[in-house]
Amino acid sequence: MSEAPFIQINDLHHVYLRDTPLEITALKGVDMEIHMGESVGIIGRTGSGKSTVVQHFNGLIRPREPGKVLVDGEDMSDPKIDIKRVRQRVGLVFQSPQQQLFEKLVGDDIAYGPKRLGMVQADRRERVKWAMEMVGLDFERFKDRFTFSLSGGEMRKTALAGVLALRPEVLILDESTTGVDPRGRKELMARLLALHKEHGLTLVFVSPNMEEVAELVERVYVMDDGRVVMSGTTREVFSQPEELFQHGLNVPQVTQVAHDLRARGIGVERVPVTVDEGVEEIWKILSSCETSPLVSTYQATR
Amino acid sequence: MSDPIVRMEGVHFHYNPDSDFPIHALQGIDLDVQAGDYLVIVGHNGSGKSTLAKNINLLLQPTAGDVWVKGLNTRRRENLLAIRSSVGMVFQVPDNQIVATIVEEDVAFGPENIGVPRDELRLRVDWALEVVDMLEHRHRPPHRLSAGQKQRVAIAGAIAIKPDILILDEATSLLDPKGREEVLRAVRALNEEGMTVIAITHFMHEATEGNRVVVMEEGKIVLEASPRAVFDHVEELRALQLDVPQPKELAYRLNGRDPTFPTDVVMVEELVDEVERRVKGGRRQ
Amino acid sequence: MSYVANAILLLVTLGLVLLSGVSLKYIFFGLKPALPLIIVLAILQLLFYGDAFTPHGMASRTYFRWGWIHITNGSVQLVIVSAARFVELLFLTSLLTNTTTLTDITHGIEDMLKPFSRFGVPANELALVGTISLRFVPLLGEQLETIMKAQASRGANVAHKSKLEFVSRARQVAAFIVPLFVDAFRRGEDLILAMQARCYVGGRGRSSFVRLRFQRMDYLAYGVGLVFSVLMLGLQSYFPF
Amino acid sequence: MDESVVVTREPRLDEPRLSVRSIVVAGVLSAITILMGWTRLGFVPVPTAAGNATIMHVPAIIGGVMEGWIVGGIISTIFGLFSFIQATVPLFKDPLIAILPRIFIGITAYFSYAGVKRINEYAALVIAAAVGTLTNTILVLTMATLRGYMAPGVAVTVGITHGLPEVVVAAIITVAVVVAWKGVETGRGEAKM
């Protein structure tokens, strides 16, 4: 990561309802950076300031002194900046899909962004087609459906397609998996991974769900009470379960298994964060002692 | 065994039965719930689990088959209030079920509806808020609470009518882990005091909360077991794309490599114990 | 329409404000947005309403007349008295909203309507409508904010259009008003189920948790109000200026 | 837990005076009215002398169209109450102007909608919006004139500069909302892109 970060924020503060009796301090000096091609998780309990931070990434909230937000080198506090272009490059998907659908028909809704960008009809159609394909919605079947009559899962896909249709370079998902059933969640995670790995999309994933974070991202920021309290690779951060616990978070169960084993004096080389890694780590431990003849049999057959 | 508190026999339910696209949401459900049970119903969106719940407290009436609650058939309209006051229900979105602008006034809404006299009202409201540990917030406006707190207010509102059965219809799916734990703790306490609980969820790991699990898919019950036994059906659960707790998944896959590794492991601690036993017990010195 | 009566009223409302403990600064602050209108109205009344009013018990006197414009002692009185009335009204309403929560006002309205329920006025139901609307204002407010942010994120126009394009402005407003309505209806559907599940079957026969009880202060307030009103009526006829 | 359920109230299953649906719809639509007033979103800038066209009365029209005249009447009354309580314009500090004329918005909207609905749904919505809006404008101005705040000539001018743009804006929004929500039931259209 030698090149300059794509998004860089420094000493960011934010107060909601400033100068009123209801004043709420949401951010108390936050530093973060997002590089091109990364996938980064922002985790923390409700009210920790996660959403407030990411809304700075595409200029929905502008920084105030002394805070600074740079997107591709551009200072977001400059009122003359081309904000539409920033919002095209940094796409933001919100939690509830209902809040993000504005048009009567699915096709028109996904075309909303491209239309605002001034694309011509034919290009728009292609763009909508592409976006729908990316999220797994059949173009012919869905383009003329009423947005408000879709099922929850279909709405969510439409909302994601609506943002993808802008062809953003960075995609922010603000708790977009909350309330999704496991089937929908698996599909969504697979599609996001594909977008990241195959299309080089930079992902910023905001979530309180540690299992998901472990699956999807390489690096995390942990937030609590308006500050970044931990940061590092997913493994580094998950290696400190007690600290996470203090911030109202837990680790994936497979990580917990490794920690508990360590506590009982059983050495685990590398702290696993996914089930796949967990199986390998535990297998290493089991096969290092010759308890069962089958272990050696298995090793012999490999 | 005594008579079940809820009995469903051959229940079918169609949405828009007379339209061109009727939806057959429940396709022949037979289910008994015993008093004191903690039944967990797991399934994806559209599997019919919410429809099933709404058929219990007469928010919906079966298009075929019968439902009895405490021996009262839901087909008879005159049983409506008796049935609804025996069943408390908490819904998915915390905000959309709170009626009043002050916590304690909202909790009073249900008992007010069944005409509980004023002195008794005060006692019930305090009791219900105490159970969910929200008494200190009783004078606050609900929109200033966290999602987990709101959901606990909703539970207080549901139990303030002193029901025998509490139904949670995906009541935890929009909460963060902390909020979810707060809510489950309150529900556990209620169940220990004897309230029958029916929890509907798409989180398989919440199955371990209860004493019985029912898995639904496409309007039918496809699996019914104890929480431990249900996870023995790893392949079926996978086929249904339901999540299996990570310790179970680990044990199952370790068993694939070493068939002596037990698969009846659900909790983190059980897995750790097993690995420890094998490592330490097997170490030849 | 009398100077004396309005002067007394003004003093009394001012006294009430002081009694209430609401900061005077706050009350005057509330007056500010209304000032331009009061002034414009005053000018209009001063210039064009000379013939419309004659002060009680006084001969009409013209101070100035030029074309349509004529200023009389009647229009001067109209200006002063109506300005005073506006100030009194503003004081009293901001006093009400600064001392009483909307929830309490809703309970109050319910109590007021209760005697009429035997004539078929659904007091309990109407109070419930009021409660639900107050409950949903902050929710829908948050919803609206997210809708607008989501639209901005997808390139909605931030720039203000000129007033001449008001049809497209209306469409723009519709673009976030429509999802807001749809969301409100959707939440409504949830709420209907939740209320039914909590045994709501209409307002008849419900008991009530909140009881507004008349206390000494309330009787006192009513009494003072009544005496004061009679006094003012008396003043009107004895001192009509 | 109690051993038995205490239902101290006789179940009454006769049609309540106001259905749960009516209460809830009236409640949430009134919430939108209040929200529009608080956020100033209820005002759309227009090119006439009026400066702003209000759309705060639109929820009352929509409520009337969708749930009948009683719901329409309740929402418009709450609109009146709210504009009385929150008024910064002196005119609306007078309850006879702020509240009384407003009551009729949702009611006239409903009856005009019901009358035309059989001929054409769209036309009925536009007419309901127009009638509801004009009810507001005309009755408020009439009341203001009667109460001596305005000369009749001034009222007519204000009526035209305010009334016409408000009719257009109200019609656009009413049609959009009702069609969007009813679209949930009816299903399909054709995307423009």
Side-chain angles (χ1 to χ4, degrees):
Chain A
M1 283 180 221
S2 51
E3 74 216 270
F6 185 71
I7 298 172
Q8 179 163 25
I9 62 177
N10 287 109
D11 200 17
L12 199 60
H13 293 253
H14 188 74
V15 178
Y16 284 108
L17 302 164
R18 194 183 287 275
D19 301 328
T20 70
L22 300 174
E23 198 171 279
I24 300 159
T25 307
L27 299 181
K28 303 172 177 171
V30 172
D31 300 297
M32 269 187 204
E33 43 191 56
I34 311 287
H35 292 260
M36 266 320 205
E38 268 195 306
S39 67
V40 180
I42 301 177
I43 53 184
R45 56 181 151 205
T46 314
S48 58
K50 310 178 296 250
S51 296
T52 313
V53 168
V54 295
Q55 287 181 12
H56 282 86
F57 288 5
N58 75 342
L60 283 177
I61 307 177
R62 302 290 189 109
R64 279 171 74 119
E65 288 294 324
K68 223 173 182 48
V69 177
L70 298 178
V71 176
D72 199 16
E74 286 188 283
D75 187 344
M76 298 296 286
S77 61
D78 180 0
K80 290 195 291 290
I81 202 171
D82 183 359
I83 196 73
K84 256 186 165 177
R85 177 154 165 68
V86 172
R87 289 180 184 159
Q88 180 266 311
R89 299 182 74 186
V90 182
L92 177 55
V93 185
F94 289 84
Q95 178 180 335
S96 146
Q98 290 98 301
Q99 297 166 334
Q100 303 168 66
L101 306 180
F102 332 115
E103 298 280 348
K104 231 162 43 195
L105 304 168
V106 169
D108 289 336
D109 191 85
I110 299 171
Y112 179 94
K115 197 172 166 189
R116 293 290 170 283
L117 292 177
M119 286 177 74
V120 296
Q121 178 94 354
D123 293 349
R124 260 186 348 232
R125 205 180 160 85
E126 279 315 301
R127 190 58 81 80
V128 171
K129 239 180 177 161
W130 173 83
M132 287 176 75
E133 190 185 312
M134 282 296 123
V135 299
L137 283 175
D138 185 69
F139 180 72
E140 289 302 327
R141 241 183 79 209
F142 279 96
K143 71 175 168 54
D144 299 332
R145 292 274 293 274
F146 264 73
T147 44
F148 299 117
S149 69
L150 297 175
S151 76
E154 292 159 353
M155 269 194 204
R156 207 170 291 272
K157 289 178 178 178
T158 307
L160 179 57
V163 175
L164 283 178
L166 294 163
R167 286 272 191 158
E169 293 157 65
V170 178
L171 183 68
I172 308 168
L173 296 126
D174 188 358
E175 301 210 21
S176 311
T177 52
T178 306
V180 189
D181 67 12
R183 185 180 287 161
R185 187 178 296 224
K186 268 181 195 143
E187 190 189 340
L188 182 65
M189 299 291 278
R191 290 192 187 282
L192 290 174
L193 262 178
L195 281 164
H196 174 57
K197 295 232 158 96
E198 289 156 30
H199 296 262
L201 194 66
T202 306
L203 285 182
V204 177
F205 191 70
V206 180
S207 171
N209 183 324
M210 310 301 273
E211 276 85 4
E212 278 173 13
V213 169
E215 259 175 67
L216 199 60
V217 307
E218 296 133 20
R219 204 160 65 80
V220 290
Y221 288 102
V222 180
M223 290 193 65
D224 195 12
D225 195 27
R227 291 188 181 88
V228 172
V229 288
M230 293 169 82
S231 67
T233 65
T234 315
R235 197 182 315 282
E236 281 163 15
V237 170
F238 284 4
S239 298
Q240 297 151 271
E242 290 82 16
E243 213 182 326
L244 280 170
F245 208 73
Q246 279 172 17
H247 300 297
L249 299 168
N250 48 20
V251 291
Q253 285 183 309
V254 54
T255 313
Q256 192 61 49
V257 167
H259 287 301
D260 289 0
L261 285 172
R262 274 187 177 173
R264 297 188 190 185
I266 300 169
V268 182
E269 269 176 45
R270 196 177 60 141
V271 175
V273 294
T274 62
V275 173
D276 287 344
E277 292 176 1
V279 173
E280 292 313 322
E281 289 304 320
I282 297 174
W283 186 246
K284 260 189 241 164
I285 299 167
L286 289 179
S287 47
S288 65
C289 51
E290 307 112 34
T291 44
S292 159
L294 280 151
V295 172
S296 35
T297 321
Y298 179 83
Q299 279 168 332
T301 55
R302 279 186 63 137
Chain B
M1 204 178 252
S2 59
D3 279 346
I5 195 160
V6 178
R7 159 163 278 171
M8 302 184 104
E9 263 181 29
V11 173
H12 286 258
F13 187 83
H14 293 82
Y15 286 102
N16 314 320
D18 304 322
S19 76
D20 297 338
F21 308 102
I23 298 165
H24 198 173
L26 294 181
Q27 312 185 3
I29 300 286
D30 297 304
L31 183 70
D32 281 354
V33 184
Q34 302 296 334
D37 264 357
Y38 191 141
L39 172 70
V40 182
I41 304 179
V42 190
H44 291 290
N45 295 342
S47 61
K49 56 193 195 308
S50 284
T51 310
L52 186 150
K54 293 189 181 100
N55 272 282
I56 295 175
N57 69 344
L58 246 169
L59 288 176
L60 298 173
Q61 230 171 11
T63 35
D66 287 284
V67 179
W68 290 271
V69 177
K70 291 171 76 183
L72 301 169
N73 194 320
T74 64
R75 294 214 163 275
R76 304 176 69 96
R77 292 287 291 173
E78 67 266 27
N79 290 341
L80 180 114
L81 211 54
I83 289 174
R84 287 207 182 140
S85 58
S86 314
V87 184
M89 194 159 180
V90 181
F91 296 83
Q92 182 181 26
V93 187
D95 273 323
N96 299 357
Q97 49 191 321
I98 296 176
V99 182
T101 46
I102 292 171
V103 166
E104 63 173 9
E105 285 180 25
D106 183 72
V107 176
F109 179 77
E112 281 176 344
N113 289 336
I114 51 174
V116 173
R118 195 191 308 270
D119 305 335
E120 165 87 16
L121 266 176
R122 178 83 257 170
L123 295 174
R124 282 199 186 195
V125 168
D126 290 350
W127 166 78
L129 284 168
E130 182 80 61
V131 169
V132 297
D133 195 20
M134 286 294 289
L135 198 55
E136 58 177 316
H137 300 287
R138 64 183 181 276
H139 298 303
R140 293 181 67 189
H143 70 271
R144 296 239 160 265
L145 303 175
S146 76
Q149 291 173 324
K150 281 179 203 165
Q151 206 60 310
R152 284 187 280 151
V153 171
I155 292 177
I159 61 173
I161 53 172
K162 298 245 173 174
D164 305 82
I165 305 158
L166 179 65
I167 302 180
L168 305 166
D169 187 358
E170 297 218 23
T172 58
S173 75
L174 294 178
L175 308 182
D176 67 358
K178 186 169 162 272
R180 191 171 301 150
E181 185 46 42
E182 290 166 1
V183 166
L184 291 177
R185 194 184 307 140
V187 174
R188 241 174 265 145
L190 282 162
N191 181 244
E192 274 158 24
E193 282 179 42
M195 192 175 292
T196 309
V197 175
I198 302 177
I200 290 167
T201 176
H202 55 232
F203 297 117
M204 200 66 206
H205 56 83
E206 279 184 18
T208 49
E209 294 287 326
N211 66 336
R212 262 177 84 205
V213 186
V214 162
V215 179
M216 285 190 71
E217 179 72 2
E218 288 178 1
K220 297 190 188 88
I221 292 178
V222 291
L223 255 181
E224 194 176 347
S226 75
R228 297 191 67 87
V230 80
F231 291 118
D232 292 337
H233 303 265
V234 175
E235 291 300 337
E236 280 136 293
L237 295 177
R238 273 202 188 145
L240 291 168
Q241 290 185 300
L242 287 163
D243 53 338
V244 177
Q246 287 188 337
K248 184 83 199 179
E249 180 89 26
L250 283 166
Y252 185 77
R253 285 172 58 181
L254 288 167
N255 174 271
R257 295 185 177 183
D258 174 358
T260 65
F261 199 93
T263 53
D264 63 337
V265 168
V266 181
M267 314 296 244
V268 168
E269 209 190 337
E270 292 166 351
L271 182 74
V272 174
D273 285 348
E274 177 61 28
V275 174
E276 187 185 30
R277 196 181 61 75
R278 286 175 168 253
V279 173
K280 292 191 173 159
R283 193 169 286 157
R284 289 177 195 144
Q285 283 167 347
Chain C
M1 286 301 288
S2 128
Y3 288 131
V4 178
N6 272 288
I8 295 173
L9 268 173
L10 212 56
L11 278 174
V12 169
T13 46
L14 213 64
L16 283 175
V17 170
L18 289 174
L19 265 176
S20 73
V22 176
S23 112
L24 262 179
K25 216 173 96 189
Y26 203 87
I27 301 263
F28 279 110
F29 197 72
L31 215 65
K32 229 168 87 183
L35 271 181
L37 257 145
I38 295 181
I39 293 168
V40 169
L41 220 78
I43 294 172
L44 282 176
Q45 286 169 330
L46 185 69
L47 300 182
F48 303 116
Y49 286 74
D51 295 336
F53 297 95
T54 319
H56 285 282
M58 276 193 226
S60 175
R61 216 178 305 155
T62 302
Y63 297 130
F64 182 80
R65 181 181 285 273
W66 184 74
W68 284 4
I69 299 169
H70 42 137
I71 301 172
T72 63
N73 60 346
S75 62
V76 170
Q77 188 173 23
L78 179 70
V79 167
I80 294 172
V81 168
S82 65
R85 271 189 183 173
F86 283 147
V87 173
E88 289 148 16
L89 263 169
L90 281 168
F91 274 14
L92 286 177
T93 43
S94 46
L95 203 57
L96 174 71
T97 47
N98 277 306
T99 53
T100 319
T101 64
L102 284 173
T103 305
D104 285 340
I105 295 178
T106 313
H107 290 315
I109 291 175
E110 181 182 4
D111 257 34
M112 253 168 58
L113 289 174
K114 237 174 219 162
F116 298 98
S117 50
R118 71 179 63 176
F119 308 112
V121 176
N124 200 286
E125 283 90 340
L126 290 175
L128 197 51
V129 172
T131 307
I132 291 171
S133 66
L134 295 180
R135 162 86 187 102
F136 273 75
V137 169
L139 290 186
L140 294 176
E142 281 168 28
Q143 188 71 28
L144 181 67
E145 193 190 332
T146 318
I147 291 171
M148 294 172 92
K149 279 183 170 169
Q151 285 191 359
S153 295
R154 282 166 66 187
N157 280 330
V158 234
H160 288 290
K161 288 207 168 107
S162 85
K163 284 187 173 180
L164 285 169
E165 296 172 78
F166 86 99
V167 171
S168 66
R169 265 286 295 183
R171 289 231 171 84
Q172 206 179 323
V173 171
F176 53 75
I177 288 285
V178 173
L180 184 70
F181 271 98
V182 171
D183 181 71
F185 288 138
R186 215 191 290 273
R187 286 174 187 274
E189 296 297 327
D190 276 6
L191 186 63
I192 290 169
L193 284 179
M195 286 170 63
Q196 286 174 336
R198 291 168 76 183
C199 304
Y200 186 80
V201 283
R204 250 173 271 170
R206 294 187 74 216
S207 55
S208 86
F209 181 66
V210 181
R211 179 165 54 172
L212 300 181
R213 221 178 306 177
F214 254 71
Q215 286 169 345
R216 252 216 319 257
M217 276 305 276
D218 298 296
Y219 287 114
L220 194 70
Y222 259 91
V224 170
L226 200 71
V227 169
F228 190 69
S229 306
V230 171
L231 219 73
M232 292 310 287
L233 277 173
L235 265 177
Q236 280 274 13
S237 29
Y238 285 104
F239 302 96
F241 48 86
Chain D
M1 226 59 9
D2 281 3
E3 309 85 71
S4 63
V5 190
V6 191
V7 178
T8 40
R9 180 182 173 193
E10 284 296 300
R12 278 179 186 272
L13 301 172
D14 46 358
E15 200 49 39
R17 289 163 295 187
L18 262 178
S19 71
V20 187
R21 174 167 300 274
S22 299
I23 293 171
V24 169
V25 170
V28 294
L29 290 181
S30 303
I32 295 185
T33 303
I34 297 173
L35 185 67
M36 290 203 282
W38 259 332
T39 55
R40 305 282 306 159
L41 266 179
F43 305 92
V44 178
V46 293
T48 64
N52 285 306
T54 179
I55 51 169
M56 278 180 71
H57 63 291
V58 172
I61 295 172
I62 291 173
V65 164
M66 292 191 25
E67 290 295 326
W69 67 273
I70 299 180
V71 170
I74 295 172
I75 302 167
S76 27
T77 308
I78 291 183
F79 164 41
L81 274 172
F82 178 77
S83 72
F84 166 65
I85 291 173
Q86 282 283 309
T88 48
V89 181
L91 202 62
F92 295 121
K93 286 286 175 190
D94 186 332
L96 284 175
I97 296 173
I99 303 173
L100 193 65
R102 261 65 188 272
I103 297 173
F104 302 96
I105 300 171
I107 300 174
T108 58
Y110 166 74
F111 284 110
S112 43
Y113 171 76
V116 191
K117 191 172 68 177
R118 261 156 295 153
I119 306 165
N120 183 305
E121 175 96 27
Y122 270 94
L125 289 173
V126 172
I127 288 169
V131 171
T133 308
L134 292 176
T135 305
N136 182 29
T137 319
I138 294 172
L139 290 187
V140 165
L141 291 172
T142 309
M143 209 63 206
T145 315
L146 287 178
R147 298 277 294 155
Y149 294 98
M150 262 183 208
V154 182
V156 170
T157 324
V158 174
I160 291 167
T161 55
H162 274 80
L164 290 182
E166 276 172 13
V167 166
V168 176
V169 178
I172 290 174
I173 292 173
T174 305
V175 171
V177 169
V178 177
V179 170
W181 184 243
K182 291 217 165 159
V184 176
E185 289 147 35
T186 55
R188 279 154 194 269
E190 194 173 349
K192 286 195 286 285
M193 52 93 229

